[in-house]
Amino acid sequence: MSKDHNAQKTCWNCPALELRGHVDFRACGQSMRKFMTEGQAMAECKRRPELGLFDPASLTFEECPEWEEGPYGYQLRDMRVLILGIDGYLGWTLALWLGSLGFRVAGVDNFNRRRWVAEEGSHSVVPIAPMEERLRAAKEVLGIEISFREFDILDNEKLRQFIQEFQPEAIVHYAECPSAPYSMVDFQHAAYVQHNNVIGTLGLLFAMRDLAPEASLIKLGTMGEYGTPLTGRPIFEGIFPADAVLQWDGREWSLGGELTPRDPVSFYHVSKVQDTFNVYESCKYWWLRSYDVMQGVIYGVHTEQVAADPRLRTRFDVDEWFGTVINRFVAQAVVGIPLTIYGSGGQTRGFLALRDAMQCMTRLILSPPEPGQYDVVNQISGVYRVRELAETVARIAADEFGLEVEIQRLENPRVEADEHPYEVVYEKLPQQLGFEPQVTLEEEVYQMLKLLIQPSIRSRIEAIRQVILPKTRWSGLHKEMDVIERYKVRPRRVVGLGAEGGGEDDPER
Ligand SMILES: NC(=O)c1ccc[n+]([C@@H]2O[C@H](COP(=O)([O-])OP(=O)(O)OC[C@H]3O[C@@H](n4cnc5c(N)ncnc54)[C@H](O)[C@@H]3O)[C@@H](O)[C@H]2O)c1
C-alpha cells in the first residue's frame, strides 16, 4: 500500500507549525502559501522549539524526526485526533482504528444517535455496549486509552474547554444527524436536523479559530450534496478544475477554483451544503484548513478492531430512517423481507466499505491541508445502481447461505430521478493520497451476512421488522409504499467467494 503520499509535504502542512510575522492577505479558500514569495513566511515549531525561526518550506515530513513511517504514510508521533461523534457507526470504528495505529484519540458524543433510533422503536441490530464498557474493552483488548466526554457540541463552552484541554492536531467532525428521511418527517424534524448540524459546525469553526487554528478539520459532507445532474456533466471534487470553462452569450470565463453547484436531495443534505459554505468561509477568513469529505454511502460491519471483541462492535442500523442501503438489503435478506428498491432502482450512487473509509480518513489526517486551504475529496471506491446492489446481495445470500431472496420494487417515497447519468470524479484520494481500496463489495456483503445470520442478531432484526420498510415520504405523508413488482434473481456464484462466477445479470421477473 502506498506510504509515500505525504513524504514531501512540508511544515506548511504540519499542525505543529506556528507562523510568525505579519500576514494580511486573504484569498478565497486558497492556501496561504500561494501568496507568499519564498522566505517571506517564517515559522516556529511547537514540537521542536529548538529549531527557532525557520522557513516552513525547508523541512519535509520525511526529514522531520517527529514524522515517522507508518502503514499509511508518514505519521506525526502521538498525533492528537479529536473525534466528534465518537459513539456513532463511523466514529467508534475510527477511534479504535486510529488508536491501534498509535494516535492519541479523544472523543465527544451526547448519544443523540441512540435516542433517534429509539424514537422510531428501533435499535442497532448488532448489539453495542454502553460507552463506559466500550472504553474499558478498548483498553483491555486493544490497549487503547480513549479520552471521552459526554456533551452536546452545541454547548460551545464545553466544546471550547475540551479543545483547550486536549489541544487537537486534527479534528474529525462526524457529529451530525445523518438521515435524509428523518429530516423529511415534519417541520420539527427538519428544523432539528438543520439546527443540530449547521449550528454545531458553526460553533466548532469559531472554537477552532480561537483555540486550534493549526488543527486540520476533516468535515464530513456527503455525495448527496451534489445531487445527480441530469445533463450528465461530471461531478467534480467540490471545486472546478483549472481548465473548466463557462461559455455564455458568445463569451467565455474560467471556472477554475470556484465551488461547483450543489443540488441537495433532502433537508438533511441541505444542512451539509450550508456546512460546506460555512467551512469554506472560515478557511477564507481565518486561515483554517479543511478537507470537506463528500463521502459516499458506507456499507459493512468489519474492521479488525471492532471484530476483536463483542463489546467493541460498532452500531449497525437497518431501519427506514437510519439504515443505509446495502446494510438494509443484507438485513432484509436474513429475515426474508424482499429487498426493497425504489422506483426502477436505477439510482446510481458512490459507495465505500467501512474498512476502506477508515483508510481514507487516516490518509486525510496524515496529509493536512495548508493554512487557509479548503479542499474537497469525493470519498468513494465504486459506483453502483441500487438494483445491481440488490441483485448482488440476493445472489450472495442465495449461493453462500442458502437464503431464498426476492427483490421488490416499491413506489419511490423520495423526490429523485431513478434513472440518470452519473459521472463522478474521484481522483484525489487514490492519486494524491495513496488510497487503495482493500475490500470488494462481494467480500463485505459476505462478511455482513455471516454476522447477521447469527441467531442472536437475526432475532434482533426480527424484533424491529415493522420499522424496516419505508413509510416516510418526501410529500409529508406517512404511509407504506405500494409494491410495483416482485422478482427473484437467478443464482450465479460470485467470483472470489469460492465460486465459479460469470454470466449476465438475468433477473427472473
Ligand atoms: N454512514 C454513511 O453512510 C455516511 C455517508 C456519508 C456521510 N456520512 C456522514 O458521516 C458522519 C458520521 O456518520 P455515521 O453514519 O457514523 O452517523 P452516526 O449517527 O452513527 O454518528 C454520528 C454521531 O454523532 C453524535 N452526535 C450528533 N449530533 C451531536 C451533537 N450535537 N453533539 C454531540 N454528538 C452528536 C451522534 O450521537 C452519533 O453518535 C455524519 O456526519 C454523516 O452525515 C455518513
Side-chain angles (χ1 to χ4, degrees):
M1 232 184 302
S2 167
K3 295 184 198 172
D4 55 8
H5 65 99
N6 64 353
Q8 295 310 311
K9 301 262 173 204
T10 66
C11 300
W12 276 106
N13 302 87
C14 180
L17 170 86
E18 256 190 312
L19 281 166
R20 295 283 176 236
H22 181 60
V23 177
D24 62 3
F25 192 89
R26 295 289 183 269
C28 310
Q30 305 282 318
S31 146
M32 178 194 289
R33 178 150 71 123
K34 285 195 180 161
F35 304 96
M36 303 267 167
T37 52
E38 207 168 315
Q40 190 182 343
M42 294 304 275
E44 282 177 280
C45 177
K46 284 190 218 163
R47 288 180 171 237
R48 298 172 68 201
E50 71 280 6
L51 292 177
L53 271 179
F54 65 99
D55 172 0
S58 62
L59 195 60
T60 62
F61 288 2
E62 195 175 23
E63 291 161 348
C64 177
E66 289 295 307
W67 287 84
E68 296 165 340
E69 264 192 284
Y72 302 105
Y74 282 84
Q75 196 170 312
L76 187 58
R77 183 147 31 89
D78 296 326
M79 186 175 188
R80 297 182 298 277
V81 182
L82 174 60
I83 301 176
L84 304 176
I86 196 172
D87 189 50
Y89 175 48
L90 303 179
W92 180 245
T93 314
L94 185 67
L96 299 183
W97 175 280
L98 293 179
S100 301
L101 287 169
F103 288 81
R104 277 182 57 199
V105 178
V108 174
D109 210 294
N110 65 347
F111 308 120
N112 259 341
R113 171 69 177 250
R114 296 187 189 225
R115 279 189 289 275
W116 298 326
V117 169
E119 180 186 330
E120 207 193 15
S122 189
H123 54 218
S124 166
V125 297
V126 174
I128 53 169
M131 183 51 84
E132 270 178 28
E133 206 175 324
R134 285 184 146 185
L135 296 172
R136 235 188 348 263
K139 181 97 187 22
E140 267 170 42
V141 180
L142 303 172
I144 299 170
E145 191 105 49
I146 296 169
S147 164
F148 172 73
R149 280 303 147 75
E150 177 184 346
F151 62 83
D152 186 332
I153 63 158
L154 269 76
D155 185 333
N156 202 252
E157 261 324 295
K158 288 200 174 128
L159 182 64
R160 280 169 182 265
Q161 272 167 22
F162 198 40
I163 288 178
Q164 180 82 297
E165 192 181 310
F166 183 64
Q167 301 270 310
E169 292 169 304
I171 299 180
V172 176
H173 181 19
Y174 282 137
E176 297 202 340
C177 178
S179 166
Y182 191 75
S183 75
M184 298 303 294
V185 170
D186 54 22
F187 164 65
Q188 282 73 18
H189 285 78
Y192 172 80
V193 169
Q194 294 208 349
H195 186 77
N196 185 68
N197 295 0
V198 175
I199 305 306
T201 299
L202 195 59
L204 170 65
L205 292 167
F206 275 84
M208 288 184 71
R209 177 195 71 174
D210 298 341
L211 301 166
E214 298 87 12
S216 58
L217 171 63
I218 291 122
K219 160 72 183 56
L220 267 290
T222 150
M223 287 297 295
E225 289 190 33
Y226 301 123
T228 53
L230 294 180
T231 58
R233 70 153 171 80
I235 298 177
F236 296 109
E237 301 198 74
I239 297 169
F240 279 112
D243 54 352
V245 163
L246 172 70
Q247 279 184 346
W248 179 72
D249 201 22
R251 290 178 290 164
E252 201 174 280
W253 297 265
S254 167
L255 286 171
E258 288 195 33
L259 292 186
T260 60
R262 305 304 202 261
D263 186 9
V265 289
S266 72
F267 291 124
Y268 153 68
H269 292 95
V270 172
S271 76
K272 294 285 192 185
V273 173
Q274 172 80 59
D275 285 344
T276 282
F277 282 96
N278 287 340
V279 174
Y280 175 74
E281 293 304 313
S282 307
C283 293
K284 195 161 101 184
Y285 305 153
W286 308 322
W287 300 119
L288 296 190
R289 43 176 103 186
S290 179
Y291 284 119
D292 207 351
V293 182
M294 300 302 131
Q295 183 169 255
V297 185
I298 307 292
Y299 59 92
V301 70
H302 191 79
T303 62
E304 203 184 311
Q305 299 79 32
V306 299
D309 188 282
R311 294 166 298 165
L312 295 177
R313 281 283 180 196
T314 196
R315 60 179 313 118
F316 191 89
D317 296 286
V318 299
D319 61 274
E320 66 143 338
W321 284 348
F322 289 95
T324 50
V325 60
I326 303 178
N327 295 357
R328 283 165 53 73
F329 284 160
V330 172
Q332 290 176 334
V334 164
V335 294
I337 298 176
L339 316 192
T340 45
I341 61 182
Y342 302 161
S344 73
Q347 299 89 338
T348 309
R349 301 285 185 270
F351 291 84
L352 187 66
L354 183 61
R355 186 143 54 95
D356 285 338
M358 298 300 112
Q359 187 201 143
C360 288
M361 296 306 285
T362 311
R363 291 179 179 278
L364 292 170
I365 291 167
L366 293 181
S367 261
E370 295 174 1
Q373 189 182 356
Y374 168 84
D375 206 352
V376 185
V377 293
N378 290 347
Q379 183 167 291
I380 64 176
S381 66
V383 169
Y384 301 93
R385 281 204 169 81
V386 168
R387 71 171 170 265
E388 278 167 19
L389 293 170
E391 287 160 11
T392 301
V393 172
R395 284 209 177 88
I396 299 174
D399 293 352
E400 306 293 329
F401 297 89
L403 296 169
E404 280 268 318
V405 183
E406 279 192 319
I407 295 177
Q408 67 179 5
R409 289 176 48 218
L410 300 181
E411 53 170 330
N412 195 340
R414 302 176 176 225
V415 176
E416 64 183 6
D418 60 7
E419 292 291 342
H420 57 87
Y422 200 65
E423 189 185 330
V424 53
V425 177
Y426 51 109
E427 293 174 349
K428 287 186 197 164
L429 273 158
Q431 291 179 13
Q432 295 171 20
L433 293 141
F435 167 55
E436 288 170 35
Q438 298 292 301
V439 188
T440 66
L441 172 67
E442 287 78 10
E443 280 162 9
E444 189 59 40
V445 166
Y446 179 81
Q447 291 286 349
M448 283 192 266
L449 282 162
K450 208 167 128 194
L451 181 70
L452 267 60
I453 209 161
Q454 309 285 321
S456 62
I457 297 188
R458 196 178 190 146
S459 64
R460 286 177 68 85
I461 306 173
E462 288 287 1
I464 57 150
R465 217 182 157 87
Q466 75 290 355
V467 294
I468 294 179
L469 291 183
K471 295 186 198 69
T472 307
R473 297 167 186 250
W474 268 223
S475 66
L477 265 186
H478 194 71
K479 174 172 161 296
E480 274 188 13
M481 310 302 138
D482 291 336
V483 177
I484 304 168
E485 185 188 15
R486 272 194 187 167
Y487 62 95
K488 270 195 178 165
V489 177
R490 188 170 291 157
R492 177 190 65 172
R493 291 182 71 81
V494 179
V495 187
L497 301 174
E500 301 125 35
E504 291 294 302
D505 279 355
D506 181 17
E508 285 175 348
R509 288 173 195 244

